[in-house]
Amino acid sequence: MFGLKSDWSVKANDRYFTLDDYSAAEPRWCTGCGDLAILASVHKVCRENQLLPENTVSVSGIGCSSRLPHYMKTYGFHGLHGRALPVACGVKSRRLDLDVWVATGDGDCFSIGAGHWIHALRYNMDMTVLVFDNGIYGLTKKQTSPTTPEAYQTNTHPGGAVLPPLNPLTITLGVTNISFVAQVVDWNTPLLYETIKAAHAHKGTSFVRIVQRCPVFMDVMNDELMDDPARFLLLNHEQGIPVPDGVSKMFESQADHDPNDLSAALGLANDRTKIPVGLLYRNPDAGIYNELSSQGLDFTSEDKLAGVNEALDKFLI
Amino acid sequence: MNEASELIAVKQIDNVVEELPVRDTAIAIREHIVEIVSDSGEGAQKCGQTLGILSAKMGNGVWTVEIIPAEIQPPARTPDGASGIRVRIGDSPMTNTGNDADLVVAFNEQVLRSRIGSHAYNDQTVVLLDNMWASDSDEKIRNQYADALLEFAECGLTVHELPIQEECLKVVPDPRKGKNMFVLGLLCHIYSRDTEKALAEISKIFARKSAKVVESNHALFNAGYAYAQRHIEIHYEIAAHSEPDHRMVVMNGNQAVGLGIMASGMELVAMYPITPATSASHFLADEFHSVGGFVHQAEDEIAAAGFAIGASYAGKTACTITSGPGIALKTEMIGLACMAEIPLVIIDVQRGGPSTGLPTKVEQSDLLATLFGAPGDSPKIILAAATISDCFHFVILARKLAESFRIPVFLLSDANLATGVQPFERPEVADDWFAAPIDQSPWDPKVLAYDWDEETGLSARPIPGMRGGEYVLTGLAHNRNAKIAYDATTNQVGSTMRSRKLAALADTLSPPEVHGDPEGDMLVIGWGSTLGTIEEAVDVARENGHKVSCIHLRFLSPLEPGLREICSRFKQVMTIELNYSDEIHASYINGETRRYAQLAQLLRAHTLLDIDCWSAVYGNPLQPGKISRVIIDRVIEVEGGK
């Protein structure tokens, strides 16, 4: 497959990367875990775009999702619980040449890291943010997460989760300067791949909530969904996520949704009867913070010397 | 200091009927301490800063200390709302705040009471007080004013009432904004300051305002100057110290930190607003772009540290600036930087604590929190600036150490340095102070990401963009190959290597220099902004015949070498610090229960010597007179007990 792209065009690079060039250690996720499908899609998008492994950085927090960097043969940063986003923003701030990915989970992003979630969306730095939302804390063994369904029994709420789950989509869509919001499920791999590919192609923070199976600790949320595809609403639009024909046939419910329409997106996010799948919102014109934070990257030593001397001279006696 | 004021008879201004002739005979004095106190927002600090800068520009030694209330608009005419500044001006370099003030200008009697409560004055202190309150329309205020005057007389203060408001009203309709420049005029005549330089400084202050604003402030200044010329008999001269053979700059410690960041080559500061650190970021927000840098105001303290760590990981060593409560929040991030060996510069402008504590007041209470704050063993480098010049130069050192040792470096400053203004030699910046452009050459894949040198613990670091160096940084226990490992030896080896770096650094340091004789009855040990005070206090004790010397530590982790040997040359050793410790003779306090000052705790463990301490948390800078009494009392007590 040297140089052969999926559209049958050929690009003969000095270096051609195969899936193996992006795959590191054998994933240690459980059998049947949705994270495996996400990882495979990320590898494919990397290969499709022939990303330089040395210029690709995946940043994560803590949790099952956040093991992703270890399975990438790129640079990676497996940091602190909830803090993937500020670190990723810092990585991008002065290194526009780096392709930044963030892997986070429902506990990591929507609970302990919720403050950063809101603000990173406002910064809208150029990066791809994948939230692996399985509605449960997995790595610490079945505690209630912000998206755990109400009444679902967990180790912290043996009588059932006491609160209605948080809706990540309405919150995300409510943040100013948001530029790309999509939702997809891990078990529809063609659509998952297309969604991650579109997210990566978007300039700005692309936020993808991936409804993801945890076969060990969350047996209701996703099994029920998998058994009942009618619960989903596939969003179609020429500016949306490209949907392969075969995939389209899987969805009984479909809607034309203009992803430039924020009110319509909020309406879909608020609709409790259907789970939207596809691109809810995009705004390619939203301001991108790394364009500000990267100011002065072209300064030479002479420029810096002149700048600091001028500043010092203001204090001369 | 006070001798000169004793010689001067101060004319009771309020009795003056006819205009007095211009007085031009000034008495030469060596130094004076001036305080200006007002309600918040009346510009006392601006007045004092300008007097300080002006004096520095005239070749005097200067040290300023700001008196800042914690609220932006505290109630007017209350002791708690006192806002002001202390300026020590002398004919030689000034290294500390000094003792009691020689002259005070107070905008109302209540703020004056606050400073009396802080023991800033004695019966030699000359007080100039605005008399507008004597004729206030509110009877309550008139009574407060009259009562306060009686109270001042009882405590021995000589108060001279001046019609400051009345005189200002002749120049501007609302003197609340501008009275400070009238007072600056007064002081400039009293201390024979260069009026041209003063007017130029005023123009600079209001550079962003209209020409009309500059004009009216000049007019107020001139009115104050002329008033003093005609009505105030106190008239001094403070000679310049010998012309330095190098150029000098004058600034406060936070500006010095900001300039140090610019000169270090760091391109990114990530911060969250916190007093008293934030003004460093204000300065950078104005100036950083001129070296291509960027100030990121993060959503919180944790994110500020995370952002800086992200940039550092990607090859652009970054800085975060904060104060105690911010350090507490950043602790987990700093632990990650220790564990994953990410260079990072953390500037901690210390304030009073614990918790929100005293946000605008000085303390040296973060030493142990920075050293031991993170869970697990998390070795890091800690530097403490002792002077404003250190605030500048130590940032450059901190960046280099952070990168060479692949470690977070703390630079401890404090509220005293942050707001104090002091002249120092203009640094001649060299381009090798800047960080080198990030290395993007291919990495030898045979070299592991943590290729620890067995002896030093040091290792080279792959930077994203280096082909062949791809690794996954993790905060989990990891081996040389950056792989997560839970086996028996990995965490032990990693901890050993990270700790070893400090020992390797300590090996390159020199023992501290002893101020005074190399041996004697007592060695005083200090750190941070108290350097000038302690040295002056030790000098006083020595003049009184006591065999006292002192050392001042700049490296607190690792500690400078040779401390046990230096200490062993003295009969007793004590630290002087601005943090809490139990007094020796208090109830329940004995050898087992006494909690020592922070450096004393460290040094007792480090040297295995019975090191004593004196420390306090009044929120004020230490005064040399007080400290020399503490030292002398302690020396005599121990000698008497023998």
Side-chain angles (χ1 to χ4, degrees):
Chain A
M1 295 287 283
F2 178 79
L4 197 57
K5 298 174 79 176
S6 60
D7 62 358
W8 302 103
S9 65
V10 175
K11 191 180 177 208
N13 294 329
D14 292 346
R15 299 161 71 193
Y16 180 79
F17 305 107
T18 66
L19 289 176
D20 275 354
D21 292 313
Y22 301 105
S23 317
E26 189 77 17
R28 299 228 193 142
W29 289 311
C30 306
T31 306
C33 176
D35 295 356
L36 293 154
I38 303 170
L39 177 68
S41 288
V42 172
H43 285 159
K44 278 174 72 181
V45 172
C46 290
R47 184 197 57 182
E48 176 69 16
N49 290 286
Q50 286 295 297
L51 301 185
L52 292 173
E54 67 269 26
N55 275 31
T56 304
V57 182
S58 61
V59 181
S60 66
I62 293 292
C64 293
S65 63
S66 297
R67 291 301 174 107
L68 180 125
H70 292 284
Y71 310 137
M72 301 279 293
K73 214 186 277 175
T74 64
Y75 281 92
F77 190 115
H78 178 205
L80 298 181
H81 196 23
R83 318 296 174 206
L85 286 166
V87 169
C89 290
V91 169
K92 190 72 187 180
S93 65
R94 304 290 290 178
R95 289 296 304 271
L96 302 185
D97 56 325
L98 298 179
D99 203 305
V100 178
W101 297 73
V102 174
T104 177
D106 42 319
D108 202 53
C109 186
F110 306 146
S111 193
I112 191 169
H116 308 311
W117 168 35
I118 306 294
H119 291 278
L121 291 169
R122 277 180 73 214
Y123 300 139
N124 190 35
M125 295 175 87
D126 191 14
M127 59 180 69
T128 308
V129 179
L130 307 177
V131 185
F132 299 35
D133 186 353
N134 56 12
I136 196 80
Y137 283 84
L139 201 58
T140 49
K141 298 182 182 168
K142 206 179 187 182
Q143 294 83 23
T144 310
S145 100
T147 52
T148 301
E150 194 168 358
Y152 184 74
Q153 291 180 343
T154 69
N155 284 327
T156 41
H157 294 103
V162 292
L163 296 172
L166 172 146
N167 183 337
L169 291 182
T170 52
I171 293 171
T172 301
L173 289 164
V175 176
T176 51
N177 211 40
I178 188 81
S179 81
F180 185 104
V181 185
Q183 178 159 273
V184 68
V185 297
D186 79 66
W187 55 89
N188 191 325
T189 46
L191 194 58
L192 177 65
Y193 166 73
E194 290 294 342
T195 306
I196 295 176
K197 188 176 148 188
H200 178 260
H202 173 78
K203 202 161 180 261
T205 298
S206 24
F207 176 88
V208 184
R209 183 203 185 199
I210 305 170
V211 178
Q212 173 245 321
R213 289 163 296 166
C214 174
V216 179
F217 296 121
M218 176 50 76
D219 48 12
V220 292
M221 183 169 110
N222 299 329
D223 286 1
E224 283 175 11
L225 289 176
M226 287 178 78
D227 292 345
D228 187 9
R231 296 268 305 277
F232 293 99
L233 180 70
L234 181 68
L235 306 178
N236 292 310
H237 194 268
E238 57 180 1
Q239 290 179 332
I241 309 295
V243 183
D245 281 349
V247 171
S248 187
K249 285 176 196 156
M250 297 175 188
F251 290 93
E252 286 175 28
S253 316
Q254 302 197 8
D256 285 329
H257 166 64
D258 178 358
N260 301 297
D261 185 343
L262 182 59
S263 320
L266 274 163
L268 290 167
N270 263 319
D271 183 353
R272 292 188 186 180
T273 61
K274 293 281 182 195
I275 300 166
V277 173
L279 182 59
L280 282 108
Y281 182 65
R282 69 189 274 275
N283 176 11
D285 300 324
I288 295 175
Y289 191 74
N290 46 260
E291 288 171 5
L292 294 174
S293 68
S294 58
Q295 66 184 21
L297 277 177
D298 53 343
F299 272 52
T300 62
S301 270
E302 290 73 43
D303 296 334
K304 291 180 184 182
L305 211 50
V308 69
N309 277 325
E310 194 187 324
L312 264 171
D313 283 342
K314 292 180 185 166
F315 295 93
L316 268 181
I317 289 174
Chain B
M1 272 174 284
N2 293 315
E3 315 81 72
S5 50
E6 278 175 57
L7 301 173
I8 302 295
V10 181
K11 186 88 186 162
Q12 283 291 123
I13 307 296
D14 45 351
N15 297 330
V16 173
V17 181
E18 83 274 31
E19 197 131 287
L20 296 171
V22 171
R23 300 167 195 284
D24 52 7
T25 45
I27 289 182
I29 51 171
R30 295 214 54 195
E31 64 158 273
H32 238 215
I33 297 169
V34 186
E35 280 195 6
I36 304 139
V37 278
S38 68
D39 283 342
S40 198
E42 289 186 311
Q45 282 144 13
K46 190 54 75 187
C47 173
Q49 286 159 357
T50 312
L51 179 67
I53 289 168
L54 171 66
S55 299
K57 291 192 169 180
M58 290 176 66
N60 292 118
V62 172
W63 185 279
T64 71
V65 181
E66 293 189 359
I67 304 149
I68 311 170
E71 290 94 17
I72 301 299
Q73 290 184 335
R77 294 179 40 77
T78 56
D80 284 346
S83 175
I85 189 165
R86 157 179 281 233
V87 191
R88 188 181 183 192
I89 307 168
D91 64 2
S92 58
M94 296 287 110
T95 64
N96 64 76
T97 175
N99 297 313
D100 298 338
D102 298 292
L103 182 92
V104 183
V105 184
F107 288 24
N108 68 61
E109 79 289 350
Q110 297 302 318
V111 294
L112 194 57
R113 289 177 65 204
S114 142
R115 295 299 293 158
I116 292 169
S118 299
H119 309 290
Y121 312 137
N122 62 26
D123 56 8
Q124 306 294 326
T125 307
V126 173
V127 180
L128 307 179
L129 175 63
D130 192 343
N131 68 5
M132 66 182 284
W133 312 103
S135 53
D136 198 275
S137 58
D138 184 341
E139 190 192 346
K140 201 174 130 208
I141 289 179
R142 289 200 303 274
N143 291 340
Q144 280 178 344
Y145 184 79
D147 294 347
L149 282 184
L150 291 174
E151 187 185 318
F152 299 152
E154 271 170 34
C155 58
L157 272 187
T158 315
V159 177
H160 304 283
E161 299 170 83
L162 294 191
I164 297 177
Q165 173 86 1
E166 192 185 318
E167 289 296 317
C168 289
L169 276 170
K170 293 177 187 168
V171 185
V172 290
D174 177 17
R176 194 178 146 75
K177 293 216 188 294
K179 201 187 270 189
N180 59 340
M181 290 298 126
F182 180 89
V183 171
L184 181 63
L186 284 180
L187 293 169
C188 280
H189 182 263
I190 292 174
Y191 293 105
S192 312
R193 303 290 86 183
D194 183 327
T195 50
E196 257 177 55
K197 281 196 169 78
L199 290 168
E201 282 304 316
I202 295 170
S203 303
K204 224 193 237 178
I205 297 168
F206 298 104
R208 287 183 185 178
K209 302 272 172 68
S210 67
K212 209 177 147 199
V213 172
V214 177
E215 211 175 283
S216 88
N217 280 286
H218 278 180
L220 283 160
F221 173 86
N222 288 331
Y225 192 88
Y227 183 86
Q229 219 171 15
R230 294 184 186 285
H231 300 281
I232 299 181
E233 288 201 356
I234 331 168
H235 191 26
Y236 298 120
E237 229 167 34
I238 307 171
H241 58 84
S242 58
E243 206 55 34
D245 42 10
H246 32 65
R247 295 186 295 166
M248 304 287 279
V249 283
V250 58
M251 65 184 74
N252 68 38
N254 275 359
Q255 289 165 331
V257 159
L259 281 160
I261 288 168
M262 291 169 75
S264 75
M266 284 189 285
E267 297 171 8
L268 182 79
V269 165
M271 52 73 67
Y272 184 80
I274 187 166
T275 303
T278 315
S279 67
S281 302
H282 294 173
F283 170 77
L284 284 169
D286 277 337
E287 298 284 352
F288 210 8
H289 63 88
S290 68
V291 293
F294 181 72
V295 178
H296 171 60
Q297 181 180 331
E299 63 270 25
D300 60 36
E301 293 279 3
I302 298 170
F307 199 96
I309 284 174
S312 290
Y313 164 78
K316 301 280 190 176
T317 300
C319 176
T320 183
I321 310 177
T322 189
S323 187
I327 292 293
L329 287 163
K330 291 179 198 294
T331 299
E332 192 189 12
M333 276 290 177
I334 294 163
L336 171 68
C338 294
M339 180 60 146
E341 304 192 53
I342 309 164
L344 176 69
V345 175
I346 310 130
I347 294 166
D348 177 6
V349 185
Q350 298 168 96
R351 66 192 218 183
S355 187
T356 310
L358 295 170
T360 61
K361 309 284 186 193
V362 66
E363 237 175 71
Q364 299 177 319
S365 286
D366 295 348
L367 173 57
L368 297 182
T370 49
L371 186 55
F372 299 122
D377 187 54
S378 49
K380 73 263 301 187
I381 295 171
I382 301 176
L383 306 173
T387 64
I388 288 166
S389 168
D390 285 353
C391 289
F392 175 88
H393 290 284
F394 281 13
V395 184
I396 296 144
L397 176 63
R399 191 214 28 99
K400 289 195 172 178
L401 289 172
E403 289 180 3
S404 308
F405 288 82
R406 211 174 165 176
I407 200 170
V409 180
F410 274 103
L411 170 55
L412 301 182
S413 172
D414 65 33
N416 194 14
L417 290 170
T419 59
V421 167
Q422 201 192 4
F424 62 97
E425 192 179 327
R426 184 200 186 281
E428 295 303 328
V429 182
D431 58 7
D432 63 358
W433 292 9
F434 300 147
I438 51 172
D439 187 356
Q440 294 286 273
S441 58
W443 179 268
D444 177 358
K446 290 197 287 293
V447 177
L448 302 177
Y450 295 94
D451 188 30
W452 295 308
D453 178 89
E454 286 290 342
E455 285 189 5
T456 62
L458 297 175
S459 56
R461 185 170 69 108
I463 304 289
M466 285 177 145
R467 183 178 170 183
E470 296 85 355
Y471 76 108
V472 179
L473 175 149
T474 178
L476 283 150
H478 50 267
N479 59 23
R480 288 171 191 271
N481 198 19
K483 298 292 180 208
I484 301 173
Y486 303 115
D487 60 273
T489 55
T490 297
N491 200 40
Q492 181 68 27
V493 170
S495 295
T496 305
M497 291 293 93
R498 290 188 294 273
S499 178
R500 187 64 52 76
K501 294 187 289 186
L502 288 187
L505 171 58
D507 189 58
T508 68
L509 302 177
S510 310
E513 277 178 37
V514 178
H515 176 88
D517 291 334
E519 53 188 44
D521 290 339
M522 178 183 277
L523 178 72
V524 175
I525 307 182
W527 63 283
S529 68
T530 51
L531 169 71
T533 304
I534 293 176
E535 287 191 350
E536 191 171 320
V538 164
D539 290 344
V540 170
R542 293 173 64 78
E543 283 159 20
N544 283 284
H546 300 284
K547 292 175 185 160
V548 180
S549 302
C550 63
I551 56 175
H552 208 77
L553 300 183
R554 255 83 171 200
F555 270 86
L556 295 161
S557 171
L559 283 162
E560 290 156 46
L563 294 177
R564 184 181 163 87
E565 192 275 322
I566 295 171
C567 292
S568 64
R569 292 189 238 135
F570 292 84
K571 288 182 189 153
Q572 50 171 328
V573 181
M574 75 184 288
T575 67
I576 303 267
E577 303 179 58
L578 279 171
N579 49 46
Y580 182 78
S581 63
D582 290 325
E583 283 182 32
I584 310 170
H585 304 298
S587 54
Y588 292 106
I589 302 303
N590 55 45
E592 282 190 350
T593 58
R594 185 179 182 205
R595 295 171 65 240
Y596 285 80
Q598 300 198 3
L599 179 62
Q601 283 193 41
L602 269 189
L603 291 177
R604 289 169 69 86
H606 182 78
T607 63
L608 298 180
L609 297 171
D610 187 11
I611 291 174
D612 196 1
C613 63
W614 181 91
S615 70
V617 287
Y618 295 109
N620 299 321
L622 295 178
Q623 297 191 345
K626 163 87 177 157
I627 298 308
S628 63
R629 283 193 295 279
V630 166
I631 293 170
I632 292 168
D633 288 352
R634 202 66 62 96
V635 172
I636 291 171
E637 185 182 319
V638 171
E639 279 170 356
K642 273 179 192 162

